[in-house]
Every structure is written in C-alpha cells, then in structure tokens.
Amino acid sequence: MDRKQFLSLIGGGAATVALFSCTGCSKSSQGPGNNNQGTITGPTGIDFTLDLTASANSALLANGGYLASNGVLVARTNAGVYIAVQQSCTHQNYPLIYNGASDEFFCNNHGSAFSDKGVVLNSPANRNLVVYNTTLSGTSLRVYS
Ligand code: FES
C-alpha cells in the first residue's frame, strides 16, 4: 500500500464514521424533543411482570414510589394502588416522573402535569397519557395493555 492508497483509505474511513455519527445524532421522531405534539403515544402490546422482591423494583414497595420499565411508568399511589402510564410526555416525549405527594405525573421539561388517571391537568401537553392495567398476585405485579 502506498501513501496515496493509505490516505484514501483513512479518508474513506473517516467519512464513513462521520456519516454514521450524523445518522445517530439526528432527532428521532420518537426521541425526546419530538415536536409532533398530539401524536406521541405510549407503547402498545405491553405485557410484563415485575418481581417486587427484586431490588431493582424496590421503589414500588413504598407508597409514592415509581419506576420506569418497557416505556411504562409504574407507580404506587399514596393509597397503595399500583398504576401505570406511558413513560413519555405527550407534549414533546420527555420522560415523566411521578409525584407521590400529589399523586400526579409530571414533566420537568415544560411543566405539564397529568392525574393518576393520565388526564392532562396542566399544559402545554394537550393529550392524555395511555394508561395500562396492573394486577398484583403475591409479589408479582403484572403490567399489561
Ligand atoms: S415535553 Fe413539554 S411538557 Fe413535557
């Protein structure tokens, strides 16, 4: 390999890396910052079970605790009831948190709030959250569509 071939190879490699890097940094239609307000929805076909004895799920042992799994925010209300909604805000797709003190889901990005039933309480979000079913059997919490 002569110098010209080597430089050509390096240049092609760098261009290839740059192409892949730019592909990776483009804003996804489903990623945070999505401006398709009103079209952002939760995942479909949800059906998973959380083992409440596992340390990774220990947040759900206390009232007001929550965690995110499979695109779903699972919370335990102050009344001890398990609820589950889509993890992403319907405004611009940022991850929500659960505020146990008020039993509301909240988006720190622009301040939207949702009730424990997923209903919009505070804009700019204008679409309710997708709500999932929960069933507790012993220490197994099933979350499903
Ligand atoms: S992303 Fe704007 S309020 Fe949630």
Short mmCIF file of all heavy atoms in Angstrom, two decimals, residues 24-87:
data_model
loop_
_atom_site.label_atom_id
_atom_site.label_comp_id
_atom_site.label_asym_id
_atom_site.label_seq_id
_atom_site.Cartn_x
_atom_site.Cartn_y
_atom_site.Cartn_z
N GLY A 24 -26.68 8.95 13.80
CA GLY A 24 -27.01 8.72 15.20
C GLY A 24 -27.47 9.96 15.93
O GLY A 24 -28.19 9.88 16.90
N CYS A 25 -27.06 11.16 15.47
CA CYS A 25 -27.42 12.37 16.21
C CYS A 25 -28.65 13.06 15.66
O CYS A 25 -29.08 14.05 16.19
CB CYS A 25 -26.25 13.34 16.27
SG CYS A 25 -25.80 14.04 14.68
N SER A 26 -29.21 12.53 14.60
CA SER A 26 -30.42 13.16 14.09
C SER A 26 -31.56 12.94 15.08
O SER A 26 -31.61 11.94 15.77
CB SER A 26 -30.79 12.57 12.73
OG SER A 26 -31.14 11.23 12.87
N LYS A 27 -32.46 13.89 15.14
CA LYS A 27 -33.55 13.83 16.11
C LYS A 27 -34.55 12.77 15.68
O LYS A 27 -35.11 12.83 14.60
CB LYS A 27 -34.22 15.20 16.21
CG LYS A 27 -35.18 15.29 17.37
CD LYS A 27 -35.77 16.66 17.47
CE LYS A 27 -34.82 17.61 18.14
NZ LYS A 27 -35.40 18.91 18.38
N SER A 28 -34.74 11.80 16.52
CA SER A 28 -35.69 10.73 16.22
C SER A 28 -37.11 11.25 16.37
O SER A 28 -37.40 12.07 17.21
CB SER A 28 -35.45 9.58 17.19
OG SER A 28 -36.56 8.71 17.20
N SER A 29 -38.01 10.71 15.56
CA SER A 29 -39.40 11.11 15.69
C SER A 29 -40.00 10.60 16.99
O SER A 29 -41.04 11.04 17.41
CB SER A 29 -40.21 10.60 14.50
OG SER A 29 -40.18 9.19 14.48
N GLN A 30 -39.32 9.65 17.65
CA GLN A 30 -39.83 9.12 18.91
C GLN A 30 -38.97 9.53 20.10
O GLN A 30 -39.28 9.21 21.22
CB GLN A 30 -39.90 7.59 18.85
CG GLN A 30 -40.97 7.08 17.91
CD GLN A 30 -42.36 7.55 18.30
OE1 GLN A 30 -42.75 7.43 19.44
NE2 GLN A 30 -43.10 8.11 17.37
N GLY A 31 -37.88 10.24 19.88
CA GLY A 31 -36.98 10.63 20.95
C GLY A 31 -37.42 11.90 21.64
O GLY A 31 -38.32 12.59 21.17
N PRO A 32 -36.77 12.20 22.78
CA PRO A 32 -37.07 13.45 23.47
C PRO A 32 -36.88 14.64 22.54
O PRO A 32 -35.96 14.67 21.75
CB PRO A 32 -36.07 13.46 24.61
CG PRO A 32 -35.75 12.03 24.85
CD PRO A 32 -35.80 11.39 23.48
N GLY A 33 -37.73 15.61 22.64
CA GLY A 33 -37.65 16.79 21.79
C GLY A 33 -38.56 16.67 20.58
O GLY A 33 -38.67 17.59 19.79
N ASN A 34 -39.23 15.54 20.45
CA ASN A 34 -40.15 15.34 19.34
C ASN A 34 -41.20 16.44 19.37
O ASN A 34 -41.85 16.67 20.38
CB ASN A 34 -40.81 13.96 19.53
CG ASN A 34 -41.82 13.65 18.45
OD1 ASN A 34 -42.33 14.54 17.79
ND2 ASN A 34 -42.11 12.39 18.29
N ASN A 35 -41.35 17.13 18.26
CA ASN A 35 -42.32 18.23 18.20
C ASN A 35 -43.65 17.82 17.61
O ASN A 35 -44.44 18.67 17.23
CB ASN A 35 -41.73 19.40 17.41
CG ASN A 35 -40.69 20.12 18.22
OD1 ASN A 35 -40.86 20.35 19.42
ND2 ASN A 35 -39.59 20.48 17.60
N ASN A 36 -43.90 16.54 17.51
CA ASN A 36 -45.17 16.07 16.97
C ASN A 36 -46.23 16.04 18.06
O ASN A 36 -46.84 15.02 18.33
CB ASN A 36 -45.01 14.68 16.34
CG ASN A 36 -44.08 14.71 15.15
OD1 ASN A 36 -43.98 15.71 14.46
ND2 ASN A 36 -43.38 13.61 14.93
N GLN A 37 -46.40 17.17 18.71
CA GLN A 37 -47.35 17.25 19.82
C GLN A 37 -48.72 16.75 19.38
O GLN A 37 -49.20 17.09 18.32
CB GLN A 37 -47.48 18.68 20.32
CG GLN A 37 -48.40 18.79 21.51
CD GLN A 37 -48.46 20.19 22.06
OE1 GLN A 37 -47.89 21.10 21.51
NE2 GLN A 37 -49.16 20.36 23.16
N GLY A 38 -49.31 15.96 20.25
CA GLY A 38 -50.63 15.42 19.95
C GLY A 38 -50.58 14.07 19.29
O GLY A 38 -51.61 13.42 19.16
N THR A 39 -49.41 13.64 18.86
CA THR A 39 -49.30 12.33 18.22
C THR A 39 -48.49 11.35 19.06
O THR A 39 -48.43 10.18 18.72
CB THR A 39 -48.65 12.43 16.83
OG1 THR A 39 -47.30 12.87 16.99
CG2 THR A 39 -49.40 13.39 15.94
N ILE A 40 -47.84 11.83 20.11
CA ILE A 40 -46.99 10.97 20.92
C ILE A 40 -47.88 10.08 21.78
O ILE A 40 -48.75 10.57 22.50
CB ILE A 40 -46.05 11.80 21.80
CG1 ILE A 40 -45.13 12.64 20.92
CG2 ILE A 40 -45.25 10.91 22.74
CD1 ILE A 40 -44.38 13.72 21.65
N THR A 41 -47.64 8.81 21.69
CA THR A 41 -48.46 7.86 22.42
C THR A 41 -47.58 6.84 23.10
O THR A 41 -46.37 6.80 22.87
CB THR A 41 -49.48 7.20 21.46
OG1 THR A 41 -50.37 6.41 22.24
CG2 THR A 41 -48.79 6.33 20.43
N GLY A 42 -48.16 6.01 23.93
CA GLY A 42 -47.39 5.01 24.65
C GLY A 42 -47.20 3.75 23.84
O GLY A 42 -47.84 3.56 22.80
N PRO A 43 -46.33 2.87 24.31
CA PRO A 43 -46.12 1.61 23.61
C PRO A 43 -47.37 0.74 23.63
O PRO A 43 -48.19 0.83 24.53
CB PRO A 43 -44.97 0.97 24.38
CG PRO A 43 -44.96 1.63 25.72
CD PRO A 43 -45.52 3.00 25.52
N THR A 44 -47.49 -0.08 22.60
CA THR A 44 -48.64 -0.98 22.51
C THR A 44 -48.18 -2.42 22.79
O THR A 44 -46.99 -2.71 22.77
CB THR A 44 -49.29 -0.91 21.12
OG1 THR A 44 -48.30 -1.23 20.14
CG2 THR A 44 -49.85 0.47 20.83
N GLY A 45 -49.13 -3.29 23.03
CA GLY A 45 -48.81 -4.69 23.26
C GLY A 45 -48.02 -4.93 24.54
O GLY A 45 -47.24 -5.87 24.62
N ILE A 46 -48.23 -4.07 25.51
CA ILE A 46 -47.49 -4.19 26.77
C ILE A 46 -47.99 -5.38 27.58
O ILE A 46 -49.19 -5.57 27.76
CB ILE A 46 -47.64 -2.88 27.59
CG1 ILE A 46 -46.84 -1.75 26.94
CG2 ILE A 46 -47.24 -3.08 29.04
CD1 ILE A 46 -45.35 -1.95 26.94
N ASP A 47 -47.06 -6.18 28.07
CA ASP A 47 -47.38 -7.28 28.98
C ASP A 47 -46.08 -7.76 29.63
O ASP A 47 -45.32 -8.51 29.03
CB ASP A 47 -48.07 -8.43 28.25
CG ASP A 47 -48.71 -9.43 29.21
OD1 ASP A 47 -48.46 -9.33 30.44
OD2 ASP A 47 -49.45 -10.31 28.74
N PHE A 48 -45.83 -7.26 30.82
CA PHE A 48 -44.63 -7.70 31.55
C PHE A 48 -44.96 -7.78 33.03
O PHE A 48 -45.96 -7.22 33.50
CB PHE A 48 -43.43 -6.77 31.29
CG PHE A 48 -43.62 -5.35 31.73
CD1 PHE A 48 -43.26 -4.94 33.01
CD2 PHE A 48 -44.14 -4.40 30.86
CE1 PHE A 48 -43.42 -3.62 33.42
CE2 PHE A 48 -44.31 -3.08 31.25
CZ PHE A 48 -43.95 -2.69 32.53
N THR A 49 -44.12 -8.49 33.75
CA THR A 49 -44.34 -8.70 35.18
C THR A 49 -43.11 -8.25 35.95
O THR A 49 -41.98 -8.56 35.57
CB THR A 49 -44.62 -10.19 35.47
OG1 THR A 49 -45.79 -10.58 34.73
CG2 THR A 49 -44.86 -10.42 36.95
N LEU A 50 -43.33 -7.51 37.02
CA LEU A 50 -42.25 -7.05 37.89
C LEU A 50 -42.27 -7.86 39.17
O LEU A 50 -43.30 -7.97 39.83
CB LEU A 50 -42.42 -5.56 38.21
CG LEU A 50 -42.38 -4.60 37.01
CD1 LEU A 50 -42.78 -3.19 37.45
CD2 LEU A 50 -41.00 -4.61 36.38
N ASP A 51 -41.11 -8.39 39.53
CA ASP A 51 -40.95 -9.12 40.78
C ASP A 51 -40.66 -8.10 41.88
O ASP A 51 -39.59 -7.49 41.90
CB ASP A 51 -39.80 -10.12 40.64
CG ASP A 51 -39.50 -10.86 41.93
OD1 ASP A 51 -40.20 -10.62 42.95
OD2 ASP A 51 -38.56 -11.67 41.92
N LEU A 52 -41.61 -7.91 42.78
CA LEU A 52 -41.45 -6.86 43.80
C LEU A 52 -40.45 -7.23 44.88
O LEU A 52 -40.13 -6.41 45.73
CB LEU A 52 -42.82 -6.51 44.41
CG LEU A 52 -43.84 -5.96 43.40
CD1 LEU A 52 -45.13 -5.58 44.12
CD2 LEU A 52 -43.28 -4.78 42.63
N THR A 53 -39.94 -8.47 44.86
CA THR A 53 -38.89 -8.83 45.82
C THR A 53 -37.50 -8.49 45.26
O THR A 53 -36.52 -8.53 45.99
CB THR A 53 -38.93 -10.34 46.16
OG1 THR A 53 -38.64 -11.10 44.98
CG2 THR A 53 -40.28 -10.73 46.73
N ALA A 54 -37.43 -8.16 43.96
CA ALA A 54 -36.15 -7.81 43.34
C ALA A 54 -35.74 -6.39 43.76
O ALA A 54 -36.59 -5.49 43.79
CB ALA A 54 -36.25 -7.91 41.83
N SER A 55 -34.47 -6.20 44.04
CA SER A 55 -34.01 -4.88 44.48
C SER A 55 -34.25 -3.81 43.41
O SER A 55 -34.50 -2.66 43.74
CB SER A 55 -32.53 -4.93 44.87
OG SER A 55 -31.75 -5.33 43.76
N ALA A 56 -34.19 -4.19 42.14
CA ALA A 56 -34.41 -3.22 41.06
C ALA A 56 -35.83 -2.65 41.08
O ALA A 56 -36.07 -1.57 40.55
CB ALA A 56 -34.14 -3.88 39.71
N ASN A 57 -36.74 -3.35 41.73
CA ASN A 57 -38.13 -2.91 41.77
C ASN A 57 -38.56 -2.43 43.15
O ASN A 57 -39.74 -2.24 43.41
CB ASN A 57 -39.04 -4.06 41.31
CG ASN A 57 -38.70 -4.54 39.92
OD1 ASN A 57 -38.30 -3.75 39.07
ND2 ASN A 57 -38.83 -5.83 39.69
N SER A 58 -37.60 -2.24 44.04
CA SER A 58 -37.92 -1.90 45.43
C SER A 58 -38.64 -0.56 45.57
O SER A 58 -39.32 -0.33 46.58
CB SER A 58 -36.65 -1.91 46.28
OG SER A 58 -35.75 -0.92 45.83
N ALA A 59 -38.51 0.32 44.58
CA ALA A 59 -39.21 1.61 44.66
C ALA A 59 -40.72 1.41 44.76
O ALA A 59 -41.43 2.28 45.29
CB ALA A 59 -38.87 2.46 43.44
N LEU A 60 -41.19 0.28 44.28
CA LEU A 60 -42.64 0.05 44.27
C LEU A 60 -43.15 -0.54 45.58
O LEU A 60 -44.34 -0.82 45.71
CB LEU A 60 -43.01 -0.86 43.10
CG LEU A 60 -42.77 -0.25 41.72
CD1 LEU A 60 -43.07 -1.26 40.62
CD2 LEU A 60 -43.61 1.01 41.53
N LEU A 61 -42.28 -0.70 46.55
CA LEU A 61 -42.72 -1.24 47.84
C LEU A 61 -43.29 -0.16 48.75
O LEU A 61 -43.97 -0.45 49.73
CB LEU A 61 -41.55 -1.94 48.53
CG LEU A 61 -41.01 -3.18 47.79
CD1 LEU A 61 -39.83 -3.77 48.54
CD2 LEU A 61 -42.11 -4.21 47.59
N ALA A 62 -42.99 1.11 48.44
CA ALA A 62 -43.45 2.21 49.28
C ALA A 62 -44.49 3.04 48.53
O ALA A 62 -44.36 3.27 47.32
CB ALA A 62 -42.27 3.09 49.67
N ASN A 63 -45.47 3.53 49.24
CA ASN A 63 -46.43 4.44 48.64
C ASN A 63 -45.69 5.67 48.10
O ASN A 63 -44.82 6.22 48.78
CB ASN A 63 -47.48 4.87 49.66
CG ASN A 63 -48.42 3.74 50.04
OD1 ASN A 63 -48.38 2.66 49.43
ND2 ASN A 63 -49.26 3.98 51.03
N GLY A 64 -46.04 6.09 46.90
CA GLY A 64 -45.38 7.24 46.27
C GLY A 64 -44.16 6.86 45.46
O GLY A 64 -43.58 7.71 44.78
N GLY A 65 -43.77 5.59 45.49
CA GLY A 65 -42.61 5.16 44.71
C GLY A 65 -42.98 4.88 43.27
O GLY A 65 -44.15 4.63 42.95
N TYR A 66 -42.00 4.92 42.41
CA TYR A 66 -42.25 4.63 40.99
C TYR A 66 -40.97 4.19 40.31
O TYR A 66 -39.86 4.41 40.83
CB TYR A 66 -42.85 5.84 40.27
CG TYR A 66 -41.86 6.96 40.02
CD1 TYR A 66 -41.22 7.08 38.79
CD2 TYR A 66 -41.58 7.90 40.99
CE1 TYR A 66 -40.32 8.10 38.54
CE2 TYR A 66 -40.67 8.92 40.76
CZ TYR A 66 -40.05 9.03 39.53
OH TYR A 66 -39.15 10.03 39.30
N LEU A 67 -41.14 3.59 39.14
CA LEU A 67 -40.02 3.23 38.29
C LEU A 67 -40.50 3.18 36.85
O LEU A 67 -41.70 3.18 36.57
CB LEU A 67 -39.40 1.89 38.72
CG LEU A 67 -40.29 0.64 38.73
CD1 LEU A 67 -40.54 0.09 37.34
CD2 LEU A 67 -39.64 -0.43 39.59
N ALA A 68 -39.53 3.15 35.94
CA ALA A 68 -39.83 3.05 34.51
C ALA A 68 -39.36 1.71 34.00
O ALA A 68 -38.27 1.25 34.36
CB ALA A 68 -39.16 4.18 33.74
N SER A 69 -40.18 1.08 33.19
CA SER A 69 -39.81 -0.20 32.60
C SER A 69 -40.57 -0.37 31.29
O SER A 69 -41.78 -0.12 31.23
CB SER A 69 -40.17 -1.33 33.57
OG SER A 69 -39.84 -2.59 33.01
N ASN A 70 -39.87 -0.76 30.24
CA ASN A 70 -40.50 -1.05 28.95
C ASN A 70 -41.32 0.12 28.40
O ASN A 70 -42.36 -0.09 27.77
CB ASN A 70 -41.40 -2.29 29.07
CG ASN A 70 -40.65 -3.52 29.49
OD1 ASN A 70 -39.78 -4.00 28.76
ND2 ASN A 70 -40.93 -4.04 30.67
N GLY A 71 -40.87 1.34 28.66
CA GLY A 71 -41.58 2.51 28.16
C GLY A 71 -42.81 2.86 28.98
O GLY A 71 -43.63 3.68 28.56
N VAL A 72 -42.92 2.25 30.15
CA VAL A 72 -44.09 2.47 31.02
C VAL A 72 -43.59 2.97 32.37
O VAL A 72 -42.58 2.49 32.91
CB VAL A 72 -44.88 1.16 31.21
CG1 VAL A 72 -46.03 1.34 32.18
CG2 VAL A 72 -45.38 0.65 29.86
N LEU A 73 -44.32 3.96 32.93
CA LEU A 73 -44.03 4.45 34.27
C LEU A 73 -45.01 3.74 35.21
O LEU A 73 -46.22 3.88 35.06
CB LEU A 73 -44.23 5.96 34.32
CG LEU A 73 -43.48 6.72 35.40
CD1 LEU A 73 -41.98 6.56 35.22
CD2 LEU A 73 -43.84 8.19 35.35
N VAL A 74 -44.48 2.99 36.15
CA VAL A 74 -45.30 2.25 37.09
C VAL A 74 -45.13 2.92 38.45
O VAL A 74 -44.00 3.18 38.89
CB VAL A 74 -44.85 0.77 37.18
CG1 VAL A 74 -45.78 -0.01 38.11
CG2 VAL A 74 -44.80 0.14 35.80
N ALA A 75 -46.24 3.21 39.10
CA ALA A 75 -46.19 3.93 40.37
C ALA A 75 -47.11 3.27 41.40
O ALA A 75 -48.06 2.57 41.05
CB ALA A 75 -46.60 5.39 40.17
N ARG A 76 -46.78 3.51 42.65
CA ARG A 76 -47.65 3.08 43.75
C ARG A 76 -48.18 4.35 44.42
O ARG A 76 -47.40 5.16 44.93
CB ARG A 76 -46.86 2.23 44.74
CG ARG A 76 -47.70 1.75 45.91
CD ARG A 76 -46.97 0.70 46.69
NE ARG A 76 -47.53 0.55 48.02
CZ ARG A 76 -47.26 -0.46 48.82
NH1 ARG A 76 -46.43 -1.41 48.44
NH2 ARG A 76 -47.80 -0.52 50.02
N THR A 77 -49.47 4.53 44.36
CA THR A 77 -50.07 5.76 44.88
C THR A 77 -49.97 5.80 46.40
O THR A 77 -49.61 4.81 47.04
CB THR A 77 -51.56 5.86 44.49
OG1 THR A 77 -52.27 4.84 45.20
CG2 THR A 77 -51.76 5.70 42.99
N ASN A 78 -50.36 6.93 46.94
CA ASN A 78 -50.36 7.07 48.39
C ASN A 78 -51.41 6.20 49.06
O ASN A 78 -51.35 5.96 50.26
CB ASN A 78 -50.54 8.54 48.78
CG ASN A 78 -49.27 9.32 48.55
OD1 ASN A 78 -48.17 8.82 48.78
ND2 ASN A 78 -49.40 10.54 48.07
N ALA A 79 -52.34 5.71 48.25
CA ALA A 79 -53.34 4.78 48.76
C ALA A 79 -52.88 3.33 48.60
O ALA A 79 -53.61 2.40 48.93
CB ALA A 79 -54.67 5.00 48.04
N GLY A 80 -51.68 3.14 48.06
CA GLY A 80 -51.14 1.80 47.91
C GLY A 80 -51.61 1.07 46.66
O GLY A 80 -51.45 -0.14 46.55
N VAL A 81 -52.18 1.81 45.71
CA VAL A 81 -52.69 1.22 44.47
C VAL A 81 -51.62 1.35 43.39
O VAL A 81 -50.99 2.41 43.26
CB VAL A 81 -53.98 1.94 44.02
CG1 VAL A 81 -54.47 1.41 42.68
CG2 VAL A 81 -55.05 1.79 45.09
N TYR A 82 -51.42 0.29 42.60
CA TYR A 82 -50.45 0.35 41.51
C TYR A 82 -51.13 0.90 40.25
O TYR A 82 -52.22 0.46 39.89
CB TYR A 82 -49.86 -1.03 41.23
CG TYR A 82 -48.93 -1.48 42.34
CD1 TYR A 82 -49.35 -2.41 43.30
CD2 TYR A 82 -47.67 -0.94 42.45
CE1 TYR A 82 -48.50 -2.80 44.33
CE2 TYR A 82 -46.81 -1.32 43.48
CZ TYR A 82 -47.24 -2.25 44.41
OH TYR A 82 -46.41 -2.61 45.44
N ILE A 83 -50.46 1.87 39.63
CA ILE A 83 -50.95 2.46 38.40
C ILE A 83 -49.81 2.49 37.40
O ILE A 83 -48.63 2.47 37.78
CB ILE A 83 -51.52 3.89 38.62
CG1 ILE A 83 -50.47 4.79 39.28
CG2 ILE A 83 -52.78 3.84 39.45
CD1 ILE A 83 -50.92 6.23 39.47
N ALA A 84 -50.16 2.54 36.11
CA ALA A 84 -49.13 2.53 35.07
C ALA A 84 -49.59 3.36 33.88
O ALA A 84 -50.75 3.27 33.45
CB ALA A 84 -48.85 1.09 34.62
N VAL A 85 -48.69 4.20 33.40
CA VAL A 85 -48.97 5.05 32.24
C VAL A 85 -47.75 5.05 31.33
O VAL A 85 -46.67 4.62 31.72
CB VAL A 85 -49.30 6.51 32.65
CG1 VAL A 85 -50.53 6.57 33.53
CG2 VAL A 85 -48.10 7.16 33.34
N GLN A 86 -47.93 5.59 30.13
CA GLN A 86 -46.78 5.72 29.23
C GLN A 86 -45.72 6.59 29.90
O GLN A 86 -46.03 7.52 30.63
CB GLN A 86 -47.21 6.32 27.90
CG GLN A 86 -47.63 7.79 27.98
CD GLN A 86 -48.08 8.33 26.64
OE1 GLN A 86 -49.21 8.08 26.23
NE2 GLN A 86 -47.20 9.06 25.95
N GLN A 87 -44.46 6.26 29.65
CA GLN A 87 -43.36 6.98 30.30
C GLN A 87 -43.12 8.35 29.69
O GLN A 87 -42.63 9.26 30.36
CB GLN A 87 -42.08 6.13 30.19
CG GLN A 87 -40.89 6.76 30.87
CD GLN A 87 -39.63 5.95 30.64
OE1 GLN A 87 -39.63 4.97 29.91
NE2 GLN A 87 -38.55 6.35 31.29
#
